[in-house]
Amino acid sequence: MDKIIIRRLSADDIEMLQNISVNTFIDTYAGHNTAENMQHYLQQHFSREQLLTELINGNNYFFAAFDNDIPAGYTKLRTFENPEQLPGRKHIELERIYTVKKYQGMGLGHRMMQYSLDFASVKGYELLWLGVWEHNEKALKFYTKFGFEIFGEHTFTLGSEEQTDWLMKKELSPA
Ligand SMILES: CC(C)(COP(=O)(O)OP(=O)(O)OC[C@H]1O[C@@H](n2cnc3c(N)ncnc32)[C@H](O)[C@@H]1OP(=O)(O)O)[C@@H](O)C(=O)NCCC(=O)NCCS
């Protein structure tokens, strides 16, 4: 990894976003789920139309990390107009954080997480929270090291399968 640049994505980045979203999702979850359930999820969440709608929705922030113009990872942060979680707190969700397989274990996840924490603090949020599959040991360890704590759980539906996600949160220091 040479020179990493992290920048916000816009509608012009749709092709890049679709590629990285599909590839990292398959790499992470194909080994744990049926082909039908994977196909269903990919069609529902990572179609060009769906991703474009999300990219132009002001409640979402997509960022990608580029290694000399090559996409190496991405994040999605999302705010809610009527949040159910964490009432009374100003919070933002880190809905996705994915490092491309060949870049994993090189410090990129740390860079993207720190970027997300700084971004959320500068925007005035008090808390960053996320959901993580209960069996995703690697990600759980990664979040715990960053000081995230479990505060609940929710059901994540992948095709016909219901899975349990832990909800984790981290208090932010004011920027
Ligand atoms: C979880 C995930 C985002 C972490 O990203 P990553 O780029 O592999 O993370 P990093 O390289 O920053 O850190 C991973 C390990 O690499 C090690 N590492 C190697 N070189 C490093 C460097 N130069 N700087 C920092 N850490 C380095 C660290 O020790 C770290 O171990 P630790 O967590 O025990 O401290 C990534 O594994 C991933 O994309 N997984 C698949 C998708 C996924 O599960 N996403 C979360 C869904 S909820």
Side-chain angles (χ1 to χ4, degrees):
M1 271 198 315
D2 241 21
K3 202 172 121 210
I4 296 293
I5 287 174
I6 299 179
R7 70 162 171 85
R8 189 170 175 190
L9 301 181
S10 71
D12 293 341
D13 299 299
I14 180 63
E15 258 153 57
M16 178 252 129
L17 179 64
Q18 194 182 18
N19 281 335
I20 198 168
S21 303
V22 169
N23 291 335
T24 52
F25 194 82
I26 289 173
D27 282 345
T28 308
Y29 298 110
H32 305 281
N33 295 284
T34 64
E36 292 75 26
N37 284 345
M38 287 294 291
Q39 197 54 33
H40 186 263
Y41 192 91
L42 291 172
Q43 273 166 2
Q44 232 183 3
H45 296 272
F46 297 139
S47 69
R48 186 184 170 93
E49 194 188 3
Q50 176 61 28
L51 287 173
L52 256 181
T53 306
E54 293 180 14
L55 270 169
I56 57 177
N57 178 336
N59 291 333
N60 300 320
Y61 301 90
F62 287 89
F63 296 94
F66 296 87
D67 172 24
N68 278 321
D69 292 338
I70 300 167
Y74 83 103
T75 55
K76 179 187 177 193
L77 289 105
R78 155 168 90 158
T79 61
F80 292 88
E81 268 154 27
N82 298 303
E84 286 169 30
Q85 313 287 356
L86 305 162
R89 305 297 308 275
K90 197 167 183 303
H91 61 76
I92 182 165
E93 180 188 8
L94 178 60
E95 192 192 354
R96 295 185 194 134
I97 176 165
Y98 285 84
T99 299
V100 170
K101 207 167 186 174
K102 78 168 203 172
Y103 286 96
Q104 287 181 16
M106 296 164 77
L108 191 63
H110 281 237
R111 298 265 294 264
M112 294 194 295
M113 177 60 85
Q114 196 54 56
Y115 191 97
S116 306
L117 293 166
D118 293 346
F119 175 81
S121 294
V122 167
K123 287 265 179 196
Y125 290 99
E126 299 167 3
L127 280 171
L128 184 67
W129 67 277
L130 53 86
V132 53
W133 183 38
E134 59 179 342
H135 300 300
N136 190 342
E137 301 293 340
K138 197 170 171 180
L140 275 164
K141 185 171 156 242
F142 177 78
Y143 300 139
T144 304
K145 271 204 156 181
F146 261 97
F148 281 83
E149 290 171 351
I150 292 175
F151 70 94
E153 61 179 69
H154 77 164
T155 301
F156 176 84
T157 307
L158 205 153
S160 60
E161 192 167 315
E162 298 205 329
Q163 306 181 344
T164 302
D165 276 4
W166 296 122
L167 300 179
M168 302 183 86
K169 66 177 167 61
K170 180 177 165 72
E171 299 278 339
L172 302 171
S173 358

